[in-house]
Amino acid sequence: MQFILLTHPRERLRITNTGQLVLQVLGERARVIEWHRKQPDPALIAAIDAGLVGLVFPTDDDTPLVSSNSADNVKASAKECTPPFEYLLLIDATWQEARKMYNQSPYLKSLIKVGLQPTHASIYPLRRNQLEGGLCTAECVALLLEQAGEPELAQQLTVRLMGFIER
């Protein structure tokens, strides 16, 4: 499983951005694509058109088409937790920006959503006005790694996040 962080241009400049931690821990398994409303990334569009991308994003009705329930699937394989996507795309931005990016990008609305159902509240306190029950980018990726049977990598990312928060 590989991760695409569709990142708002302002997010890359924020010192509170946890997407950078994902890149540090996962290396070549994660990449950043900067979001541009009028010029979507051609390689991303090609991967979407080929059915290789699932979107990790809350659903409108809280009923994801594909559920990754951490309580039920911690020991499940990646294929059991998520559909056979080559890439999982996360919108890396504030929640307010993420909603705007989603609403202004028809290609994102066409994607199958992979819903997360965390069993704990976010440990990330560095931003205000956060979505209740929402997780930061690094927490989402750690949860997905855990569910995919990669607990060591998930733990490494969580430890890196905790150090980031404490600094």
Side-chain angles (χ1 to χ4, degrees):
M1 175 178 2
Q2 296 183 51
F3 296 91
I4 297 172
L5 305 180
L6 186 61
T7 304
H8 192 281
R10 287 191 296 257
E11 187 67 18
R12 295 186 76 157
L13 304 174
R14 291 187 176 110
I15 61 171
T16 56
N17 174 261
T18 65
Q20 64 183 316
L21 305 175
V22 173
L23 296 175
Q24 291 167 10
V25 172
L26 296 184
E28 293 182 11
R29 288 185 55 194
R31 66 182 175 134
V32 169
I33 295 176
E34 191 169 294
W35 177 79
H36 296 283
R37 184 172 62 90
K38 294 184 178 183
Q39 297 176 342
D41 183 81
L44 175 59
I45 297 301
I48 289 170
D49 289 344
L52 301 175
V53 182
L55 176 64
V56 179
F57 196 75
T59 60
D60 297 331
D61 61 0
D62 292 332
T63 308
L65 295 175
V66 178
S67 177
S68 289
N69 185 313
S70 59
D72 296 338
N73 293 327
V74 169
K75 295 182 181 174
S77 70
K79 289 181 183 176
E80 293 169 316
C81 291
T82 58
F85 295 120
E86 187 170 330
Y87 304 100
L88 289 179
L89 185 145
L90 294 92
I91 299 176
D92 187 28
T94 65
W95 278 108
Q96 294 81 6
E97 288 169 340
R99 281 189 214 98
K100 288 178 186 175
M101 291 167 64
Y102 177 78
N103 289 328
Q104 295 175 359
S105 304
Y107 61 93
L108 294 177
K109 291 183 175 186
S110 71
L111 291 170
I112 293 176
K113 291 182 182 176
V114 177
L116 294 176
Q117 298 170 350
T119 57
H120 60 81
S122 175
I123 63 168
Y124 186 70
L126 300 179
R127 296 224 177 128
R128 297 172 302 195
N129 303 322
Q130 294 305 300
L131 181 70
E132 186 176 335
L135 302 175
C136 71
T137 301
E139 289 173 310
C140 288
V141 172
L143 183 57
L144 290 162
L145 289 167
E146 181 77 31
Q147 293 169 355
E150 299 187 67
E152 297 85 10
L153 207 49
Q155 181 63 29
Q156 185 179 350
L157 182 54
T158 301
V159 167
R160 181 82 53 109
L161 175 63
M162 290 174 14
F164 181 76
I165 291 168
E166 292 172 2
R167 65 166 171 85

mmCIF file of all heavy atoms in Angstrom, residues 26-67:
data_model
loop_
_atom_site.group_PDB
_atom_site.id
_atom_site.type_symbol
_atom_site.label_atom_id
_atom_site.label_comp_id
_atom_site.label_asym_id
_atom_site.label_seq_id
_atom_site.Cartn_x
_atom_site.Cartn_y
_atom_site.Cartn_z
ATOM 1 N N LEU A 26 7.829 6.798 5.847
ATOM 2 C CA LEU A 26 7.510 5.856 4.778
ATOM 3 C C LEU A 26 8.408 5.962 3.553
ATOM 4 O O LEU A 26 8.405 5.064 2.711
ATOM 5 C CB LEU A 26 6.051 6.024 4.344
ATOM 6 C CG LEU A 26 5.005 5.694 5.392
ATOM 7 C CD1 LEU A 26 3.607 5.811 4.801
ATOM 8 C CD2 LEU A 26 5.207 4.302 5.965
ATOM 9 N N GLY A 27 9.150 7.028 3.432
ATOM 10 C CA GLY A 27 10.050 7.164 2.289
ATOM 11 C C GLY A 27 9.325 7.080 0.963
ATOM 12 O O GLY A 27 8.370 7.812 0.719
ATOM 13 N N GLU A 28 9.729 6.136 0.117
ATOM 14 C CA GLU A 28 9.178 6.018 -1.231
ATOM 15 C C GLU A 28 7.747 5.506 -1.273
ATOM 16 O O GLU A 28 7.121 5.541 -2.327
ATOM 17 C CB GLU A 28 10.076 5.116 -2.075
ATOM 18 C CG GLU A 28 11.429 5.725 -2.341
ATOM 19 C CD GLU A 28 12.299 4.840 -3.219
ATOM 20 O OE1 GLU A 28 11.787 3.854 -3.803
ATOM 21 O OE2 GLU A 28 13.495 5.138 -3.321
ATOM 22 N N ARG A 29 7.225 5.045 -0.152
ATOM 23 C CA ARG A 29 5.836 4.571 -0.124
ATOM 24 C C ARG A 29 4.839 5.712 0.019
ATOM 25 O O ARG A 29 3.632 5.485 0.006
ATOM 26 C CB ARG A 29 5.644 3.576 1.018
ATOM 27 C CG ARG A 29 6.319 2.250 0.721
ATOM 28 C CD ARG A 29 6.047 1.224 1.755
ATOM 29 N NE ARG A 29 4.625 1.023 1.982
ATOM 30 C CZ ARG A 29 4.147 0.367 3.025
ATOM 31 N NH1 ARG A 29 4.952 -0.143 3.927
ATOM 32 N NH2 ARG A 29 2.849 0.214 3.180
ATOM 33 N N ALA A 30 5.330 6.926 0.170
ATOM 34 C CA ALA A 30 4.457 8.099 0.290
ATOM 35 C C ALA A 30 5.007 9.206 -0.601
ATOM 36 O O ALA A 30 6.218 9.355 -0.751
ATOM 37 C CB ALA A 30 4.393 8.572 1.733
ATOM 38 N N ARG A 31 4.078 9.947 -1.166
ATOM 39 C CA ARG A 31 4.509 11.099 -1.959
ATOM 40 C C ARG A 31 3.496 12.219 -1.817
ATOM 41 O O ARG A 31 2.323 11.992 -1.534
ATOM 42 C CB ARG A 31 4.713 10.738 -3.418
ATOM 43 C CG ARG A 31 3.459 10.343 -4.143
ATOM 44 C CD ARG A 31 3.782 9.958 -5.574
ATOM 45 N NE ARG A 31 2.606 9.463 -6.233
ATOM 46 C CZ ARG A 31 2.226 9.813 -7.434
ATOM 47 N NH1 ARG A 31 2.953 10.661 -8.139
ATOM 48 N NH2 ARG A 31 1.123 9.326 -7.968
ATOM 49 N N VAL A 32 3.984 13.421 -2.035
ATOM 50 C CA VAL A 32 3.145 14.615 -1.964
ATOM 51 C C VAL A 32 2.836 15.072 -3.374
ATOM 52 O O VAL A 32 3.716 15.124 -4.230
ATOM 53 C CB VAL A 32 3.865 15.744 -1.194
ATOM 54 C CG1 VAL A 32 3.121 17.060 -1.343
ATOM 55 C CG2 VAL A 32 4.011 15.388 0.265
ATOM 56 N N ILE A 33 1.576 15.381 -3.582
ATOM 57 C CA ILE A 33 1.147 16.059 -4.805
ATOM 58 C C ILE A 33 0.490 17.353 -4.347
ATOM 59 O O ILE A 33 -0.439 17.332 -3.544
ATOM 60 C CB ILE A 33 0.156 15.213 -5.620
ATOM 61 C CG1 ILE A 33 0.835 13.940 -6.126
ATOM 62 C CG2 ILE A 33 -0.427 16.033 -6.767
ATOM 63 C CD1 ILE A 33 -0.094 12.991 -6.855
ATOM 64 N N GLU A 34 1.012 18.467 -4.815
ATOM 65 C CA GLU A 34 0.422 19.747 -4.437
ATOM 66 C C GLU A 34 -0.875 19.952 -5.207
ATOM 67 O O GLU A 34 -0.929 19.779 -6.421
ATOM 68 C CB GLU A 34 1.398 20.896 -4.715
ATOM 69 C CG GLU A 34 0.946 22.201 -4.116
ATOM 70 C CD GLU A 34 2.023 23.256 -4.151
ATOM 71 O OE1 GLU A 34 3.047 23.089 -3.460
ATOM 72 O OE2 GLU A 34 1.819 24.259 -4.871
ATOM 73 N N TRP A 35 -1.928 20.304 -4.462
ATOM 74 C CA TRP A 35 -3.252 20.492 -5.047
ATOM 75 C C TRP A 35 -3.337 21.842 -5.733
ATOM 76 O O TRP A 35 -2.913 22.870 -5.189
ATOM 77 C CB TRP A 35 -4.311 20.414 -3.954
ATOM 78 C CG TRP A 35 -5.703 20.671 -4.437
ATOM 79 C CD1 TRP A 35 -6.511 19.804 -5.094
ATOM 80 C CD2 TRP A 35 -6.456 21.881 -4.282
ATOM 81 N NE1 TRP A 35 -7.728 20.390 -5.360
ATOM 82 C CE2 TRP A 35 -7.709 21.670 -4.876
ATOM 83 C CE3 TRP A 35 -6.189 23.113 -3.705
ATOM 84 C CZ2 TRP A 35 -8.701 22.649 -4.906
ATOM 85 C CZ3 TRP A 35 -7.164 24.091 -3.740
ATOM 86 C CH2 TRP A 35 -8.409 23.855 -4.324
ATOM 87 N N HIS A 36 -3.896 21.826 -6.943
ATOM 88 C CA HIS A 36 -4.211 23.054 -7.675
ATOM 89 C C HIS A 36 -5.608 22.875 -8.255
ATOM 90 O O HIS A 36 -5.856 21.916 -8.992
ATOM 91 C CB HIS A 36 -3.196 23.305 -8.793
ATOM 92 C CG HIS A 36 -1.820 23.547 -8.280
ATOM 93 N ND1 HIS A 36 -1.429 24.735 -7.725
ATOM 94 C CD2 HIS A 36 -0.744 22.722 -8.198
ATOM 95 C CE1 HIS A 36 -0.168 24.651 -7.336
ATOM 96 N NE2 HIS A 36 0.271 23.437 -7.608
ATOM 97 N N ARG A 37 -6.489 23.780 -7.899
ATOM 98 C CA ARG A 37 -7.901 23.653 -8.268
ATOM 99 C C ARG A 37 -8.105 23.508 -9.775
ATOM 100 O O ARG A 37 -8.868 22.672 -10.237
ATOM 101 C CB ARG A 37 -8.687 24.853 -7.743
ATOM 102 C CG ARG A 37 -10.186 24.762 -7.993
ATOM 103 C CD ARG A 37 -10.940 25.865 -7.299
ATOM 104 N NE ARG A 37 -10.591 27.188 -7.752
ATOM 105 C CZ ARG A 37 -11.188 27.824 -8.753
ATOM 106 N NH1 ARG A 37 -12.160 27.240 -9.410
ATOM 107 N NH2 ARG A 37 -10.819 29.028 -9.098
ATOM 108 N N LYS A 38 -7.417 24.309 -10.551
ATOM 109 C CA LYS A 38 -7.668 24.324 -11.991
ATOM 110 C C LYS A 38 -6.731 23.416 -12.788
ATOM 111 O O LYS A 38 -6.961 23.201 -13.972
ATOM 112 C CB LYS A 38 -7.564 25.752 -12.521
ATOM 113 C CG LYS A 38 -8.661 26.646 -11.974
ATOM 114 C CD LYS A 38 -8.605 28.015 -12.580
ATOM 115 C CE LYS A 38 -9.739 28.866 -12.036
ATOM 116 N NZ LYS A 38 -9.757 30.182 -12.655
ATOM 117 N N GLN A 39 -5.697 22.907 -12.156
ATOM 118 C CA GLN A 39 -4.742 22.067 -12.872
ATOM 119 C C GLN A 39 -4.413 20.824 -12.046
ATOM 120 O O GLN A 39 -3.349 20.738 -11.442
ATOM 121 C CB GLN A 39 -3.467 22.842 -13.175
ATOM 122 C CG GLN A 39 -3.678 24.019 -14.080
ATOM 123 C CD GLN A 39 -2.404 24.828 -14.274
ATOM 124 O OE1 GLN A 39 -1.466 24.723 -13.514
ATOM 125 N NE2 GLN A 39 -2.393 25.642 -15.303
ATOM 126 N N PRO A 40 -5.290 19.818 -12.050
ATOM 127 C CA PRO A 40 -4.985 18.608 -11.299
ATOM 128 C C PRO A 40 -3.772 17.882 -11.892
ATOM 129 O O PRO A 40 -3.495 17.981 -13.090
ATOM 130 C CB PRO A 40 -6.255 17.767 -11.415
ATOM 131 C CG PRO A 40 -7.019 18.333 -12.545
ATOM 132 C CD PRO A 40 -6.579 19.756 -12.718
ATOM 133 N N ASP A 41 -3.067 17.183 -11.040
ATOM 134 C CA ASP A 41 -1.871 16.458 -11.437
ATOM 135 C C ASP A 41 -2.230 15.366 -12.466
ATOM 136 O O ASP A 41 -3.070 14.507 -12.176
ATOM 137 C CB ASP A 41 -1.243 15.832 -10.189
ATOM 138 C CG ASP A 41 0.046 15.121 -10.507
ATOM 139 O OD1 ASP A 41 1.075 15.807 -10.607
ATOM 140 O OD2 ASP A 41 0.013 13.879 -10.657
ATOM 141 N N PRO A 42 -1.610 15.377 -13.641
ATOM 142 C CA PRO A 42 -1.955 14.399 -14.683
ATOM 143 C C PRO A 42 -1.712 12.941 -14.251
ATOM 144 O O PRO A 42 -2.502 12.057 -14.589
ATOM 145 C CB PRO A 42 -1.051 14.774 -15.859
ATOM 146 C CG PRO A 42 -0.613 16.164 -15.604
ATOM 147 C CD PRO A 42 -0.631 16.354 -14.122
ATOM 148 N N ALA A 43 -0.640 12.678 -13.530
ATOM 149 C CA ALA A 43 -0.362 11.307 -13.079
ATOM 150 C C ALA A 43 -1.412 10.843 -12.081
ATOM 151 O O ALA A 43 -1.823 9.672 -12.093
ATOM 152 C CB ALA A 43 1.037 11.226 -12.465
ATOM 153 N N LEU A 44 -1.866 11.740 -11.218
ATOM 154 C CA LEU A 44 -2.922 11.392 -10.267
ATOM 155 C C LEU A 44 -4.220 11.085 -11.012
ATOM 156 O O LEU A 44 -4.889 10.087 -10.710
ATOM 157 C CB LEU A 44 -3.143 12.531 -9.262
ATOM 158 C CG LEU A 44 -4.305 12.340 -8.286
ATOM 159 C CD1 LEU A 44 -4.122 11.078 -7.445
ATOM 160 C CD2 LEU A 44 -4.455 13.570 -7.403
ATOM 161 N N ILE A 45 -4.562 11.904 -11.974
ATOM 162 C CA ILE A 45 -5.792 11.675 -12.747
ATOM 163 C C ILE A 45 -5.704 10.328 -13.470
ATOM 164 O O ILE A 45 -6.680 9.570 -13.513
ATOM 165 C CB ILE A 45 -6.046 12.833 -13.740
ATOM 166 C CG1 ILE A 45 -6.268 14.148 -12.970
ATOM 167 C CG2 ILE A 45 -7.218 12.522 -14.651
ATOM 168 C CD1 ILE A 45 -7.426 14.136 -12.000
ATOM 169 N N ALA A 46 -4.550 9.990 -14.015
ATOM 170 C CA ALA A 46 -4.382 8.706 -14.708
ATOM 171 C C ALA A 46 -4.566 7.540 -13.739
ATOM 172 O O ALA A 46 -5.217 6.542 -14.072
ATOM 173 C CB ALA A 46 -3.010 8.639 -15.376
ATOM 174 N N ALA A 47 -4.009 7.651 -12.535
ATOM 175 C CA ALA A 47 -4.161 6.590 -11.530
ATOM 176 C C ALA A 47 -5.621 6.459 -11.091
ATOM 177 O O ALA A 47 -6.124 5.348 -10.890
ATOM 178 C CB ALA A 47 -3.256 6.871 -10.325
ATOM 179 N N ILE A 48 -6.301 7.584 -10.943
ATOM 180 C CA ILE A 48 -7.727 7.567 -10.589
ATOM 181 C C ILE A 48 -8.529 6.901 -11.703
ATOM 182 O O ILE A 48 -9.361 6.026 -11.444
ATOM 183 C CB ILE A 48 -8.236 8.996 -10.303
ATOM 184 C CG1 ILE A 48 -7.649 9.506 -8.978
ATOM 185 C CG2 ILE A 48 -9.763 9.032 -10.277
ATOM 186 C CD1 ILE A 48 -7.897 10.978 -8.711
ATOM 187 N N ASP A 49 -8.258 7.292 -12.941
ATOM 188 C CA ASP A 49 -8.975 6.718 -14.081
ATOM 189 C C ASP A 49 -8.751 5.208 -14.202
ATOM 190 O O ASP A 49 -9.618 4.479 -14.664
ATOM 191 C CB ASP A 49 -8.570 7.412 -15.382
ATOM 192 C CG ASP A 49 -9.099 8.843 -15.477
ATOM 193 O OD1 ASP A 49 -10.016 9.209 -14.695
ATOM 194 O OD2 ASP A 49 -8.582 9.599 -16.327
ATOM 195 N N ALA A 50 -7.594 4.744 -13.745
ATOM 196 C CA ALA A 50 -7.268 3.315 -13.800
ATOM 197 C C ALA A 50 -7.847 2.550 -12.606
ATOM 198 O O ALA A 50 -7.667 1.338 -12.512
ATOM 199 C CB ALA A 50 -5.756 3.132 -13.862
ATOM 200 N N GLY A 51 -8.521 3.267 -11.683
ATOM 201 C CA GLY A 51 -9.125 2.609 -10.530
ATOM 202 C C GLY A 51 -8.131 2.195 -9.456
ATOM 203 O O GLY A 51 -8.395 1.286 -8.671
ATOM 204 N N LEU A 52 -6.988 2.870 -9.403
ATOM 205 C CA LEU A 52 -5.930 2.491 -8.469
ATOM 206 C C LEU A 52 -5.955 3.261 -7.154
ATOM 207 O O LEU A 52 -5.159 2.982 -6.264
ATOM 208 C CB LEU A 52 -4.560 2.716 -9.130
ATOM 209 C CG LEU A 52 -4.298 1.956 -10.432
ATOM 210 C CD1 LEU A 52 -2.966 2.383 -11.017
ATOM 211 C CD2 LEU A 52 -4.350 0.465 -10.179
ATOM 212 N N VAL A 53 -6.872 4.243 -7.023
ATOM 213 C CA VAL A 53 -6.831 5.173 -5.897
ATOM 214 C C VAL A 53 -8.125 5.125 -5.095
ATOM 215 O O VAL A 53 -9.222 5.196 -5.654
ATOM 216 C CB VAL A 53 -6.587 6.623 -6.396
ATOM 217 C CG1 VAL A 53 -6.499 7.593 -5.227
ATOM 218 C CG2 VAL A 53 -5.334 6.699 -7.263
ATOM 219 N N GLY A 54 -7.988 5.028 -3.780
ATOM 220 C CA GLY A 54 -9.109 5.181 -2.855
ATOM 221 C C GLY A 54 -8.871 6.431 -2.032
ATOM 222 O O GLY A 54 -7.728 6.809 -1.769
ATOM 223 N N LEU A 55 -9.938 7.097 -1.634
ATOM 224 C CA LEU A 55 -9.847 8.350 -0.895
ATOM 225 C C LEU A 55 -10.171 8.133 0.575
ATOM 226 O O LEU A 55 -11.260 7.661 0.913
ATOM 227 C CB LEU A 55 -10.816 9.382 -1.482
ATOM 228 C CG LEU A 55 -10.922 10.728 -0.756
ATOM 229 C CD1 LEU A 55 -9.589 11.484 -0.801
ATOM 230 C CD2 LEU A 55 -12.039 11.567 -1.361
ATOM 231 N N VAL A 56 -9.241 8.480 1.448
ATOM 232 C CA VAL A 56 -9.484 8.429 2.886
ATOM 233 C C VAL A 56 -10.069 9.782 3.268
ATOM 234 O O VAL A 56 -9.364 10.792 3.302
ATOM 235 C CB VAL A 56 -8.180 8.152 3.672
ATOM 236 C CG1 VAL A 56 -8.451 8.117 5.171
ATOM 237 C CG2 VAL A 56 -7.540 6.851 3.199
ATOM 238 N N PHE A 57 -11.384 9.787 3.506
ATOM 239 C CA PHE A 57 -12.087 11.041 3.768
ATOM 240 C C PHE A 57 -13.442 10.706 4.367
ATOM 241 O O PHE A 57 -14.046 9.703 3.983
ATOM 242 C CB PHE A 57 -12.271 11.820 2.451
ATOM 243 C CG PHE A 57 -12.631 13.260 2.619
ATOM 244 C CD1 PHE A 57 -11.691 14.186 3.020
ATOM 245 C CD2 PHE A 57 -13.923 13.695 2.357
ATOM 246 C CE1 PHE A 57 -12.028 15.529 3.158
ATOM 247 C CE2 PHE A 57 -14.264 15.028 2.491
ATOM 248 C CZ PHE A 57 -13.310 15.947 2.898
ATOM 249 N N PRO A 58 -13.926 11.527 5.299
ATOM 250 C CA PRO A 58 -15.251 11.251 5.882
ATOM 251 C C PRO A 58 -16.331 11.260 4.813
ATOM 252 O O PRO A 58 -16.278 12.043 3.869
ATOM 253 C CB PRO A 58 -15.463 12.401 6.873
ATOM 254 C CG PRO A 58 -14.114 12.973 7.119
ATOM 255 C CD PRO A 58 -13.311 12.721 5.872
ATOM 256 N N THR A 59 -17.311 10.386 4.965
ATOM 257 C CA THR A 59 -18.426 10.363 4.030
ATOM 258 C C THR A 59 -19.485 11.338 4.501
ATOM 259 O O THR A 59 -19.526 11.730 5.661
ATOM 260 C CB THR A 59 -19.039 8.957 3.919
ATOM 261 O OG1 THR A 59 -19.500 8.571 5.202
ATOM 262 C CG2 THR A 59 -18.033 7.958 3.392
ATOM 263 N N ASP A 60 -20.360 11.715 3.584
ATOM 264 C CA ASP A 60 -21.410 12.671 3.908
ATOM 265 C C ASP A 60 -22.395 12.118 4.925
ATOM 266 O O ASP A 60 -22.918 12.843 5.754
ATOM 267 C CB ASP A 60 -22.166 13.073 2.635
ATOM 268 C CG ASP A 60 -21.257 13.787 1.644
ATOM 269 O OD1 ASP A 60 -20.297 14.436 2.089
ATOM 270 O OD2 ASP A 60 -21.525 13.687 0.442
ATOM 271 N N ASP A 61 -22.639 10.821 4.858
ATOM 272 C CA ASP A 61 -23.647 10.233 5.744
ATOM 273 C C ASP A 61 -23.047 9.327 6.818
ATOM 274 O O ASP A 61 -23.749 8.544 7.428
ATOM 275 C CB ASP A 61 -24.678 9.451 4.933
ATOM 276 C CG ASP A 61 -24.056 8.303 4.160
ATOM 277 O OD1 ASP A 61 -22.820 8.111 4.244
ATOM 278 O OD2 ASP A 61 -24.805 7.594 3.471
ATOM 279 N N ASP A 62 -21.748 9.429 7.023
ATOM 280 C CA ASP A 62 -21.045 8.617 8.014
ATOM 281 C C ASP A 62 -21.116 7.122 7.727
ATOM 282 O O ASP A 62 -20.891 6.308 8.595
ATOM 283 C CB ASP A 62 -21.553 8.884 9.440
ATOM 284 C CG ASP A 62 -21.184 10.272 9.921
ATOM 285 O OD1 ASP A 62 -20.157 10.800 9.441
ATOM 286 O OD2 ASP A 62 -21.902 10.822 10.752
ATOM 287 N N THR A 63 -21.447 6.750 6.503
ATOM 288 C CA THR A 63 -21.469 5.348 6.120
ATOM 289 C C THR A 63 -20.492 5.163 4.967
ATOM 290 O O THR A 63 -20.862 5.329 3.808
ATOM 291 C CB THR A 63 -22.884 4.913 5.668
ATOM 292 O OG1 THR A 63 -23.803 5.290 6.678
ATOM 293 C CG2 THR A 63 -22.935 3.420 5.443
ATOM 294 N N PRO A 64 -19.245 4.839 5.258
ATOM 295 C CA PRO A 64 -18.267 4.698 4.185
ATOM 296 C C PRO A 64 -18.592 3.506 3.297
ATOM 297 O O PRO A 64 -19.170 2.519 3.744
ATOM 298 C CB PRO A 64 -16.954 4.473 4.926
ATOM 299 C CG PRO A 64 -17.352 3.967 6.262
ATOM 300 C CD PRO A 64 -18.694 4.568 6.572
ATOM 301 N N LEU A 65 -18.233 3.635 2.042
ATOM 302 C CA LEU A 65 -18.432 2.513 1.127
ATOM 303 C C LEU A 65 -17.512 1.360 1.493
ATOM 304 O O LEU A 65 -17.846 0.204 1.332
ATOM 305 C CB LEU A 65 -18.176 2.962 -0.314
ATOM 306 C CG LEU A 65 -19.155 3.995 -0.848
ATOM 307 C CD1 LEU A 65 -18.729 4.443 -2.232
ATOM 308 C CD2 LEU A 65 -20.560 3.422 -0.891
ATOM 309 N N VAL A 66 -16.341 1.673 1.970
ATOM 310 C CA VAL A 66 -15.393 0.675 2.435
ATOM 311 C C VAL A 66 -14.976 1.104 3.820
ATOM 312 O O VAL A 66 -14.519 2.210 4.017
ATOM 313 C CB VAL A 66 -14.159 0.624 1.505
ATOM 314 C CG1 VAL A 66 -13.158 -0.378 2.032
ATOM 315 C CG2 VAL A 66 -14.588 0.273 0.104
ATOM 316 N N SER A 67 -15.143 0.244 4.791
ATOM 317 C CA SER A 67 -14.858 0.622 6.168
ATOM 318 C C SER A 67 -13.564 -0.003 6.649
ATOM 319 O O SER A 67 -13.298 -1.165 6.393
ATOM 320 C CB SER A 67 -15.994 0.169 7.081
ATOM 321 O OG SER A 67 -15.690 0.478 8.419
#
